[in-house]
Amino acid sequence: MTTVREELAAATDALAEVGCDTPRLDAELLLARVLGTDRAGLVMAARDEVSGEHRTRYLALLTRRVKREPIAYILGRRDFRRLTLVVDPRVLIPRPETELLVEVGLELPQGIRVADIGTGSGAVALALKDERPDLHVIGVDRSEGALSVARMNASRLRLQVEWWLGDLLDAVRCEAVLANLPYVPDGEQLPPEVGVYEPRQALFGGADGLDLVRRLVAQAGARDGLSLIALEIGAGQAPTVMRLLTEAGFREVESRRDLAGIERVVLGRR
Ligand SMILES: C[S@@+](CC[C@H](N)C(=O)[O-])C[C@H]1O[C@@H](n2cnc3c(N)ncnc32)[C@H](O)[C@@H]1O
């Protein structure tokens, strides 16, 4: 029999050896899930023995993480702003930097129609509806699987969002657009958690990563009544995207930096 402390030490070593970024944290999250507790509970239980059945279940989860499956897919959950979202391999795992897009949404005028284009798990649409219930929020994705996850999250969280299966703005009438579309340049090397496990259609956006952004900006520029667009982008893409917005007729074009200092969101108004 091994104790909680010994299981965690062995698991941390195994995860560090295969290159996981946060081996101790991951080992704790998985054991806490199996034991039905939280990380503080593990500290209290450090000297307790782990039963055979719990150990078997723990090793099964650990094996998945050793193969570099993301912890959020293994646990089936990811926190985003005030919400806990269900996630699975049909959707991108929401990232902390995407909260910036929600923050732009919080500044929108009262009661307008706002679309989250490429909604995935529904993270941006649902967080916005949660924090600004006055807005009419629409979530669009071209993946049926992603929309199923978004709908499931909306129903669990009891948040009213209109969902559409479609290509970019095709099916949607709105006054503001928020979008975290795929923006990774084709062929870019990604860590296994991302490149092997997350959906390709959520990641790659053509040779320079901006194929979908270009199409969306062109569509938005041609739409009457659309007064704001905000786009999440990758490192180094801000100058190109700011120029695209200016050429499409948007004014007051600006970029906002994430906590790492990267220009992460570009927005324009009309
Ligand atoms: C980077 S993920 C973002 C998911 C979510 N908004 C988030 O921030 O966690 C991009 C999403 O855009 C969707 N997508 C890709 N091309 C699209 C298109 N042409 N029209 C609508 N959605 C698209 C993908 O299916 C994927 O769910």
Side-chain angles (χ1 to χ4, degrees), residues 53-91:
E53 187 211 324
H54 282 146
R55 185 155 197 272
T56 306
R57 283 174 46 208
Y58 186 43
L59 291 182
L61 298 188
L62 201 57
T63 302
R64 291 171 64 183
R65 186 68 190 111
V66 163
K67 291 182 185 156
R68 304 287 295 270
E69 183 172 344
I71 199 89
Y73 288 155
I74 301 174
L75 297 176
R77 297 274 186 283
R78 172 51 53 100
D79 291 339
F80 185 76
R81 293 187 72 85
R82 307 193 307 201
L83 307 177
T84 298
L85 299 164
V86 167
V87 293
D88 69 26
R90 292 175 290 179
V91 296

Side-chain angles (χ1 to χ4, degrees), residues 116-119 139-144 147 151 163-172 181 212 215 219:
D116 167 23
I117 304 295
T119 194
V140 178
D141 209 288
R142 74 167 175 201
S143 152
E144 286 194 42
L147 273 189
R151 280 203 182 89
W163 303 107
W164 285 95
L165 180 67
D167 182 30
L168 302 179
L169 275 179
D170 275 359
V172 174
L181 285 166
L212 286 148
R215 273 215 292 133
Q219 264 187 328

Side-chain angles (χ1 to χ4, degrees), residues 18-63:
V18 296
C20 290
D21 279 347
T22 51
R24 175 76 189 189
L25 174 64
D26 294 0
E28 289 180 6
L29 289 171
L30 296 178
L31 189 54
R33 161 63 63 90
V34 168
L35 298 180
T37 184
D38 56 16
R39 290 174 61 216
L42 293 180
V43 176
M44 311 288 288
R47 292 198 179 84
D48 293 356
E49 288 191 343
V50 179
S51 73
E53 187 211 324
H54 282 146
R55 185 155 197 272
T56 306
R57 283 174 46 208
Y58 186 43
L59 291 182
L61 298 188
L62 201 57
T63 302

Side-chain angles (χ1 to χ4, degrees), residues 99-118:
E99 297 200 6
L100 257 186
L101 213 48
V102 180
E103 283 164 22
V104 172
L106 296 181
E107 300 164 13
L108 290 171
Q110 196 76 5
I112 69 167
R113 289 174 66 87
V114 51
D116 167 23
I117 304 295

